[in-house]
Amino acid sequence: MAGDIVVGSTMANFGQWKYSVDRDATILAYGRAERGGADTCDCANCRNFRVGRAHAFPAEFFALLDQLGIDPLKDAEVYHNARVAPGRHDYGGWYHFIGSLDQIGDFPPVDLGGGFTTHMCRASAPRLPSLDGMPVVQVEFHAVAVPWLLDEPESK
């Protein structure tokens, strides 16, 4: 499968990206973070994502985050793109891990099924304050089938 994670002694790969990760340092940094980006906003879209995250992320993405030492409840940023159908919403966002990209390119995102894709890139977006000053890699995701779970009108 294209999304398989192969861990070596110092390097791993995900899709076509090769990277190095300091999982222990990443776990420590996430432990120092009080909360993720979606938890800092009280808009309906962010509140919906918080309750729908378990439905939005496939098991393979949770496994990737675990391999990297990332706490899935502490995203750097989540954003709502649109309602794609009644009860179904398009979201994107990203996380970071301490490490480096050792092989990059114009690689296609890894499709984990169900309208969920993810890819790695050099860090360019805001990160959690506990990761400031650290060498980090950005893990971005795009989910087009996040359910609307709030007991209030859906965003458009």
Side-chain angles (χ1 to χ4, degrees):
M1 175 179 179
D4 285 347
I5 302 164
V6 181
V7 180
S9 59
T10 59
M11 189 182 294
N13 57 304
F14 179 73
Q16 293 177 276
W17 294 272
K18 290 189 185 336
Y19 63 91
S20 299
V21 58
D22 187 333
R23 185 175 187 271
D24 292 338
T26 301
I27 290 170
L28 288 173
Y30 275 85
R32 289 191 308 269
E34 290 182 34
R35 56 190 178 161
D39 288 325
T40 64
C41 180
D42 202 36
C43 76
N45 294 321
C46 285
R47 287 185 290 114
N48 184 67
F49 187 81
R50 289 193 301 260
V51 298
R53 183 183 340 248
H55 303 282
F57 292 165
E60 296 89 348
F61 189 65
F62 280 119
L64 172 65
L65 296 180
D66 182 62
Q67 286 283 339
L68 299 171
I70 294 172
D71 182 341
L73 299 178
K74 295 179 181 175
D75 56 85
E77 181 80 26
V78 169
Y79 55 91
H80 179 264
N81 290 312
R83 181 175 77 169
V84 294
R88 192 171 125 206
H89 292 256
D90 183 315
Y91 281 87
W94 59 86
Y95 294 87
H96 296 94
F97 65 89
I98 297 172
S100 63
L101 278 176
D102 301 313
Q103 182 174 337
I104 61 170
D106 191 17
F107 305 138
V110 175
D111 187 342
L112 297 179
F116 189 94
T117 59
T118 185
H119 69 275
M120 293 184 178
C121 61
R122 289 194 172 110
S124 62
R127 61 188 79 176
L128 296 174
S130 62
L131 291 164
D132 281 347
M134 306 293 251
V136 295
V137 175
Q138 197 162 301
V139 178
E140 296 193 7
F141 69 87
H142 182 219
V144 297
V146 179
W148 189 264
L149 300 172
L150 298 181
D151 189 22
E152 60 187 74
E154 291 183 60
S155 294
K156 300 276 181 182

